[in-house]
Amino acid sequence: GRRSRGIPPGAALLAVTVVLLPLAACGGGDSGAEAEPVTGSITFWDTSNETEAPLFNQLVAAFEREHPGIDVDYVNVPFFEAEQRYLEAVGTGSAPDVLRADVGWTANMVAGNLLADLAGTPAEPAPGEFLETVVESVVFDDAVYGVPQVTDTLALMYNKELFERAGLTRPPRYWSEVEEYGLAVAGATDAEGIVLNTDGYFALPFLYGEDTDLIDPGTRTITVAGPAAVRGLSAAASLVESGAAPVPPEEDAYGAMQGAFKRGEAAMMLNGPWAVADLLDSSVFADGTNLGIAPVPAGSGGTAGSPTGGHNLVVSAGTRSPDAAHLFVSFMTAAEQQEKAAVELGLLPTRKAAYTDAVLADPVRNSFYFAHTKAVPRIPLPEGSRMFGDLEEAYTGVLFGETTPADALAVTARTWHEELLTDHTVATGGTDGG
């Protein structure tokens, strides 16, 4: 079925360019004085979805042609199973040499000493060649635990025809406007205003819109229950309470959201670039002209922010073929390969050099490139998978009308303080702590 990639258990990031242009451009045989060609066998776990996997498989074949002494065993692993399966594989000594890891997984894997430091290897990314937001997910102190391969962020997608029927001439800029627009659409058409889903990752734009986050690492403060976060989640709750959004279903809220928007049954949704190919496969958005994409709306103070998602290629600490793994990661994340993935799949590169005219000529990619100006780097959280599970529980209760934003977030903060972040203080009441 449909999968919301780049959405928790961790979340997503960006990956862009040209660390080893010679690798991508030349074929390995340009220097006769070089040492023996690298040989070896590596296993690559790719977490891309059904639409994307064929291209990445083709890129693996291209790498093998360029490096005939290296054999790559390509394995496609379902995204939502991959993190747990990787941790289990490490335990049995059967971890892949290279993994396509969600940006939100890296911190936990680094904390467990599961990843190889790429500093000083041919794979090491040159920070200046990548988008700033993506590099933050792989650099820890002086070590580098991966190369950004693809980035993403959430944007507001809207149905231009439904907007027109409701007399709306531009995308909404604030969450309060989203509510007004949603009610206008619901009043003028038989469609819903905006469809939401209960995933904790999708709650982040509401928090970022009030200039707050889950924690403030500088002061070691849990900020998820502070007044700013409560204001943010209250904006989401108000969308449902006002009737601008329906209550999400209990099962597969993401699939229900995507489906309703795809069928023209809702005027707006928050989603990422991974959703576009599916939308363009529908009669409602077939030629792309009816699909509007705008940066996420701002909160009460005028701040707008969207989580940085994406995937990094990481090398297992226990790889028996480090040289081959380094060359493979370099090749797969080079600008040429990123440009191909962007043009053929609509994915956002992490390398600046991959944002070529061919990539930006497409209005959808151009819109997401613009939406990315609102992207907020994710705080590295070793406990991230568990924290997003707790946030999802709170967000679900709020959207279902079963609890208030203040009560739901207070429970979340208390749980984190007692079980995960015992050395942090909790910001409540009058302090935002960040």
Side-chain angles (χ1 to χ4, degrees), residues 28-37:
D30 61 330
S31 170
E34 265 182 32
E36 293 285 313

Tab-separated table of all heavy atoms in Angstrom, residues 28-37:
chain	number	residue	atom	x	y	z
A	28	GLY	N	36.462	5.689	-13.161
A	28	GLY	CA	37.404	4.989	-12.321
A	28	GLY	C	38.741	4.744	-12.948
A	28	GLY	O	39.693	4.466	-12.285
A	29	GLY	N	38.897	4.890	-14.272
A	29	GLY	CA	40.191	4.520	-14.835
A	29	GLY	C	40.975	5.703	-15.318
A	29	GLY	O	41.696	5.603	-16.292
A	30	ASP	N	40.851	6.874	-14.697
A	30	ASP	CA	41.510	8.049	-15.228
A	30	ASP	C	42.943	8.187	-14.742
A	30	ASP	O	43.683	8.991	-15.240
A	30	ASP	CB	40.717	9.312	-14.880
A	30	ASP	CG	40.584	9.516	-13.405
A	30	ASP	OD1	40.568	8.505	-12.688
A	30	ASP	OD2	40.500	10.670	-12.968
A	31	SER	N	43.351	7.438	-13.737
A	31	SER	CA	44.712	7.611	-13.225
A	31	SER	C	45.416	6.262	-13.206
A	31	SER	O	45.171	5.424	-12.364
A	31	SER	CB	44.659	8.206	-11.818
A	31	SER	OG	45.933	8.152	-11.231
A	32	GLY	N	46.337	6.083	-14.147
A	32	GLY	CA	47.010	4.799	-14.244
A	32	GLY	C	47.922	4.532	-13.075
A	32	GLY	O	48.283	3.395	-12.811
A	33	ALA	N	48.296	5.602	-12.341
A	33	ALA	CA	49.230	5.430	-11.238
A	33	ALA	C	48.521	5.003	-9.961
A	33	ALA	O	49.154	4.788	-8.940
A	33	ALA	CB	49.980	6.737	-10.994
A	34	GLU	N	47.176	4.894	-10.033
A	34	GLU	CA	46.444	4.583	-8.823
A	34	GLU	C	46.735	3.180	-8.340
A	34	GLU	O	47.187	2.322	-9.076
A	34	GLU	CB	44.944	4.726	-9.086
A	34	GLU	CG	44.453	6.097	-8.686
A	34	GLU	CD	42.966	6.220	-8.908
A	34	GLU	OE1	42.281	5.200	-8.770
A	34	GLU	OE2	42.508	7.322	-9.201
A	35	ALA	N	46.415	2.970	-7.061
A	35	ALA	CA	46.587	1.642	-6.477
A	35	ALA	C	45.637	0.667	-7.157
A	35	ALA	O	44.835	1.035	-8.000
A	35	ALA	CB	46.311	1.714	-4.991
A	36	GLU	N	45.732	-0.585	-6.730
A	36	GLU	CA	44.852	-1.622	-7.280
A	36	GLU	C	43.393	-1.182	-7.179
A	36	GLU	O	43.001	-0.558	-6.201
A	36	GLU	CB	45.018	-2.898	-6.436
A	36	GLU	CG	46.379	-3.538	-6.563
A	36	GLU	CD	46.529	-4.257	-7.878
A	36	GLU	OE1	45.628	-5.008	-8.250
A	36	GLU	OE2	47.547	-4.012	-8.550
A	37	PRO	N	42.557	-1.517	-8.181
A	37	PRO	CA	41.131	-1.210	-8.089
A	37	PRO	C	40.533	-1.883	-6.843
A	37	PRO	O	40.959	-2.981	-6.467
A	37	PRO	CB	40.546	-1.810	-9.359
A	37	PRO	CG	41.691	-2.102	-10.253
A	37	PRO	CD	42.914	-2.229	-9.396
